[in-house]
């Protein structure tokens, strides 16, 4: 209940005429949290004190626009956007895209797709506002929620043809939707595009695709796909070269599926890593059988 505690302190400051000592960022922080919960009453109370004792900033209006979009009140969101446009030249240097992105999101939460598209494709351009992937990705997510995946892909293609270029957060929602629908071919196409971007924050989408791959695997497809699995194991081992523990883990997993011995490249990487990595404490008795077989595979090759 930290939010409620903060509001009690805020109201105490109001009653003791101390809020004039708060800087605008403190007001904005409270407004951001209140907007997350859709608390319009307290937000307007805080905003009124901000108007009386300080100067609203671009972050103030972004928080209020987010708030009213979240509660489905687009007309109020537009009122505060209009206030922003009247005051934007007096709030100091700022990134206007922050406010415009909030307005796009508000339109989408209120199911005004055409308005959101107009802001990104016309208003931000004519206003010389920096356009990033953020508002585009919001629209892509909206398309996916509505199961309009063709439109989402068309928007991604239009981004590829100009600026900004799509990122992991552009492809991710579409990939996730295809995975939920069990559409392996379409999901694979989107996955291939996703992994060309920075995937450091895409664990959820990658996991969805992995689960889809497992779901599509028939009982007999392991034997059919063992060649691909072997190739994948070699790629992992090569990527992990120099880390004996990781290469050994791959070899342990592959050994039951390789009755004629590990793939030569995997065997070579394993033995080389064993030779040059002094950490042999991780080797257990059954691992020596893997290591001996790998040596024999190399010798036979």
């Amino acid at each position: 209940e930290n939010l409620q505690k903060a509001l009690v302190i805020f109201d105490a400051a109001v009653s003791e005429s101390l809020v004039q000592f708060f800087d605008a960022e403190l007001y904005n922080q409270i407004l951001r949290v209140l907007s997350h919960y859709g608390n319009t009453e307290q937000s307007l109370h805080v905003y009124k004190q901000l108007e009386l004792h300080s100067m609203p900033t671009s972050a103030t209006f972004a928080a209020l626009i987010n708030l009213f979009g979240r509660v489905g009140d687009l007309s109020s969101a537009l009122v505060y956007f209009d206030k922003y446009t009247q005051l934007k030249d007096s709030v100091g240097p700022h990134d206007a895209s922050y406010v415009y992105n909030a307005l796009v999101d508000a339109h989408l939460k209120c199911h005004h797709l055409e308005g959101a598209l107009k802001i990104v494709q016309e208003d931000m351009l004519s206003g010389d506002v920096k356009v990033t992937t953020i508002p585009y990705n919001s629209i892509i997510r909206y398309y996916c929620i509505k199961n309009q995946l063709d439109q989402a892909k068309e928007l991604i293609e239009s981004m590829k043809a100009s600026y900004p270029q799509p990122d992991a957060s552009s492809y991710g929602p579409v990939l996730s939707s295809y995975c939920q629908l069990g559409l392996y071919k379409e999901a694979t196409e989107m996955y291939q595009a996703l992994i060309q971007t920075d995937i450091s924050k895409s664990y959820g989408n990658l996991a969805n695709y992995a689960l889809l791959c497992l779901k599509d695997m028939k009982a007999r497809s392991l034997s059919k796909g063992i060649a691909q699995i072997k190739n994948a194991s070699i790629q992992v081992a090569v990527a992990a070269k120099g880390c004996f523990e990781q290469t050994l883990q791959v070899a342990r997993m592959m050994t039951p599926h390789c009755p004629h011995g590990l793939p030569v490249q995997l065997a070579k990487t394993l033995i080389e890593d064993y030779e040059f990595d002094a950490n042999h404490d991780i080797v257990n008795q059954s691992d020596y059988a893997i290591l001996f077989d790998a040596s024999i595979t190399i010798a036979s090759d």
Side-chain angles (χ1 to χ4, degrees):
E1 300 178 350
N2 286 336
L3 174 58
Q4 292 307 315
K5 293 175 184 175
L7 291 173
V8 169
I9 298 169
F10 182 84
D11 287 337
V14 173
S15 65
E16 296 176 27
S17 299
L18 296 172
V19 285
Q20 66 266 30
F21 297 110
F22 292 164
D23 60 28
E25 183 49 36
L26 177 59
Y27 289 99
N28 294 341
Q29 179 63 17
I30 299 173
L31 288 172
R32 276 193 289 269
V33 178
L34 289 170
S35 73
H36 179 75
Y37 292 104
N39 190 329
T40 55
E41 182 179 354
Q42 290 286 1
S43 294
L44 292 175
H45 168 58
V46 172
Y47 176 68
K48 180 180 178 181
Q49 295 299 320
L50 172 56
E51 278 193 314
L52 288 171
H53 301 292
S54 186
M55 174 67 73
T57 70
S58 60
T60 307
F61 296 108
L64 290 168
I65 292 166
N66 271 320
L67 165 72
F68 286 105
R70 191 176 295 276
V71 299
D73 185 354
L74 184 58
S75 60
S76 293
L78 290 170
V79 165
Y80 286 99
F81 181 72
D82 286 341
K83 286 192 176 186
Y84 162 73
T85 57
Q86 293 166 19
L87 295 173
K88 66 180 181 179
D89 294 331
S90 61
V91 297
H94 64 280
D95 184 355
S97 66
Y98 189 53
V99 182
Y100 279 83
N101 293 346
L103 188 63
V104 169
D105 195 60
H107 275 77
L108 295 172
K109 282 186 169 61
C110 296
H111 306 290
H112 283 257
L113 174 63
E114 292 304 317
L117 287 167
K118 179 179 180 295
I119 294 166
V120 178
Q121 297 174 341
E122 298 178 23
D123 298 349
M124 293 179 77
L125 293 176
S126 62
D128 197 26
V129 178
K130 180 179 69 176
V131 181
T132 66
T133 59
I134 293 173
Y136 277 103
N137 292 346
S138 295
I139 296 170
I140 290 169
R141 285 194 296 274
Y142 181 84
Y143 277 135
C144 291
I145 291 169
K146 295 296 183 181
N147 205 28
Q148 297 176 309
L149 301 182
D150 287 343
Q151 289 89 331
K153 288 178 66 177
E154 286 175 11
L155 185 55
I156 289 174
E157 289 302 316
S158 72
M159 292 170 68
K160 288 164 66 176
S162 57
Y163 179 84
Q165 290 294 298
D167 58 17
S169 296
S170 309
Y171 296 112
V174 187
L175 171 60
S176 181
S177 296
Y178 281 139
C179 289
Q180 290 173 12
L181 294 170
L183 299 174
Y184 177 77
K185 180 181 176 183
E186 292 83 352
T188 300
E189 176 187 337
M190 203 54 55
Y191 170 75
Q192 293 298 334
L194 173 68
I195 60 175
Q196 302 304 314
T197 66
D198 177 7
I199 60 172
S200 58
K201 297 180 181 178
S202 299
Y203 174 81
N205 293 315
L206 298 176
N208 285 337
Y209 181 67
L211 291 172
L212 178 64
C213 292
L214 291 173
K215 180 181 175 183
D216 280 23
M217 182 182 282
K218 309 302 181 190
R220 60 185 178 177
S221 58
L222 178 61
S223 59
K224 283 186 172 182
I226 194 65
Q228 288 179 301
I229 294 172
K230 285 181 179 179
N231 289 335
S233 72
I234 293 169
Q235 290 177 25
V236 172
V238 170
K241 186 171 176 60
C243 179
F244 173 58
E245 182 175 6
Q246 191 165 343
T247 310
L248 180 59
Q249 287 177 345
V250 175
R252 285 170 178 164
M253 287 186 285
M254 291 305 301
T255 295
H257 307 293
C258 301
H260 303 297
L262 294 173
V264 173
Q265 187 57 53
L266 175 56
K268 286 182 176 179
T269 305
L270 176 65
I271 297 302
E272 288 173 4
D273 286 352
Y274 174 81
E275 183 179 356
F276 292 107
D277 191 326
N279 180 22
H280 294 164
D281 295 340
I282 57 173
V283 181
N284 58 46
Q285 190 171 354
S286 61
D287 290 332
Y288 282 105
I290 298 175
L291 288 164
F292 280 124
D293 287 345
S295 301
I296 294 169
T297 296
I298 297 169
S300 301
D301 185 58

